[in-house]
Amino acid sequence: MGLISLFFLSFFVFISVMVFSKPLSKFTRAAEDSRPSSSKSLIFAWPLSASVSSSEIVKLDVFVRSENGNPIAKRQILVTTSVGTVNPKILMTDQNGKASFSLTSDAQGTAQISATIDNSIPISQKVSVKFY
């Protein structure tokens, strides 16, 4: 009788671990995956040089990513520049974790562009655009 009880006890423990361990870990990972990563988030600019006289518009795209590289939606992005004007200054990311801005300048120089997520997480990557 003792061996049968031990068998059923170990069987139920094994089944409980197999059934409940995966969903619990998924809930844990979901919480971690919603935190923006300073190093995995990206800033892109195109073109990397623009004419001041023709009022060329430079497109800036910011992608917010988690540590696992997954896109994160509904995050506020603030873009700053050392030369020129960013329009708009603040946007929310879409379902792909993307926010698009435009950059113009009426002064020559190299613009150093940076972005901050939710006013607290600076994106480690910076990008430069030359206005000539």
Side-chain angles (χ1 to χ4, degrees), residues 54-113:
S54 67
S55 298
E56 277 188 74
I57 296 174
V58 176
K59 183 178 180 188
L60 304 173
D61 290 321
V62 178
F63 294 89
V64 177
R65 299 289 183 250
S66 67
E67 280 298 325
N68 295 329
N70 296 322
I72 302 177
K74 298 181 181 174
R75 295 299 178 141
Q76 182 179 311
I77 307 300
L78 168 69
V79 174
T80 58
T81 181
S82 60
V83 174
T85 304
V86 176
N87 193 17
K89 288 191 179 289
I90 299 173
L91 272 179
M92 297 294 279
T93 56
D94 63 14
Q95 70 274 9
N96 297 316
K98 178 182 174 184
S100 295
F101 302 83
S102 62
L103 172 66
T104 57
S105 179
D106 26 354
Q108 293 183 349
T110 301
Q112 302 296 326
I113 299 138

Side-chain angles (χ1 to χ4, degrees), residues 9-21:
L9 178 65
S10 61
F11 176 75
F12 286 120
V13 167
F14 174 76
I15 292 299
S16 297
V17 167
M18 294 304 292
V19 170
F20 294 116
S21 70

Side-chain angles (χ1 to χ4, degrees), residues 17-65:
V17 167
M18 294 304 292
V19 170
F20 294 116
S21 70
K22 290 183 182 177
L24 290 176
S25 66
K26 284 184 181 177
F27 290 131
T28 304
R29 272 188 251 132
E32 292 173 4
D33 212 32
S34 66
R35 288 189 212 129
S37 168
S38 177
S39 60
K40 299 276 177 145
S41 297
L42 303 167
I43 306 172
F44 291 103
W46 185 256
L48 294 176
S49 62
S51 172
V52 173
S53 61
S54 67
S55 298
E56 277 188 74
I57 296 174
V58 176
K59 183 178 180 188
L60 304 173
D61 290 321
V62 178
F63 294 89
V64 177
R65 299 289 183 250

